[in-house]
Amino acid sequence: MTDQNTPRVAIVSGGSRGIGRETAARLGREGYAVVVTYGSAKEEGEQAAADVVAAGGQAIAVQVDVADEHSVAAVFDEAERVFGGVDVVVNSAGIMRLAPVADLDLAELDAHLRTNVRGAFAVDQQAARRVRSGGAIINVSSSLTRFSRPGYAAYAASKGAVEAITLILARELRGRDITVNAVAPGPTATALFLEGKPQELLDRMAAEPPLERIGRPEDIAEIIAFLAGPARWINGQTLYANGGAI
């Protein structure tokens, strides 16, 4: 448990872009010290860390290969060295490449499994070993596990695995006072989601939820921040955040 006079410390994987970046900034506004991780986009990672500081928190940016357990362990080492420990882990790094099952290059399937499944597992493994009492682990899944849209089989399968890991880990951490949950966004206006999609398709997706719009990264960041802090009685759950589309 952290001292009430010291900030809670969060690691946000995939924190240089999209939902991860918005989440890091949101946690910064709540006074967290944030370790923003990035894969190859160093400039974006450093800017995301600067955003956290501008929002009122503390931050550093650290490069990581989420599927390499040694690289992931080094991020946790750095969080402990600089900020004294880890209280919250947000697991938002991921890739999404689309093709029908019949046409998908299996190398693309392997890429999804490496980043989205092995990467989530490696980060959760370190989190399970190192997150302090009173902490939270939040994995980012996807509402595509329920939408079942053609072309998304590899991505949805990888996110189904993330949900399974989440629910089991919550039970494995019995007695530790650490919550483990997943957030499953629907269509959300990130670069990863918007890339290559025609406006007609985006308009059709926006019309699906009763709220009649595509989600924004800040919508998801708000839920993650809730799970990271005050939501101590939500545990072992997948929260579908898609404006009511399903």
Side-chain angles (χ1 to χ4, degrees), residues 12-18 20-25 34-54 58-64:
V12 181
S13 78
S16 63
R17 298 176 178 175
R21 183 166 181 164
E22 188 64 37
T23 296
V34 183
V35 178
V36 175
T37 80
Y38 62 90
S40 57
K42 180 178 181 181
E43 185 174 336
E44 291 184 355
E46 291 178 345
Q47 184 56 57
D51 291 346
V52 174
V53 174
Q58 303 173 51
I60 57 172
V62 181
Q63 193 276 335
V64 69

Side-chain angles (χ1 to χ4, degrees), residues 142-235:
S142 171
S143 287
L144 283 160
T145 58
R146 291 189 175 181
F147 284 148
S148 303
R149 296 190 193 277
Y152 287 87
Y155 181 74
S158 71
K159 291 303 187 178
V162 168
E163 293 183 13
I165 293 166
T166 300
L167 305 186
I168 291 170
L169 181 56
R171 285 149 181 78
E172 290 179 347
L173 295 184
R174 173 181 293 274
R176 294 271 304 278
D177 190 24
I178 297 169
T179 62
V180 188
N181 294 288
V183 177
T188 305
T190 66
L192 180 68
F193 172 77
L194 295 173
E195 182 179 3
K197 291 184 173 65
Q199 189 60 46
E200 181 273 332
L201 175 59
L202 295 174
D203 291 343
R204 190 163 71 245
M205 289 181 173
E208 289 177 352
L211 296 177
E212 295 188 328
R213 66 173 175 85
I214 286 175
R216 296 183 287 263
E218 54 264 37
D219 294 322
I220 311 305
E222 180 178 44
I223 297 166
I224 293 173
F226 177 60
L227 292 172
R232 299 307 301 166
W233 200 235
I234 300 175
N235 190 28

Side-chain angles (χ1 to χ4, degrees), residues 90-107:
V90 180
N91 211 339
S92 63
I95 64 170
M96 179 173 64
R97 298 166 188 166
L98 310 182
V101 170
D103 301 330
L104 183 72
D105 185 330
L106 291 183

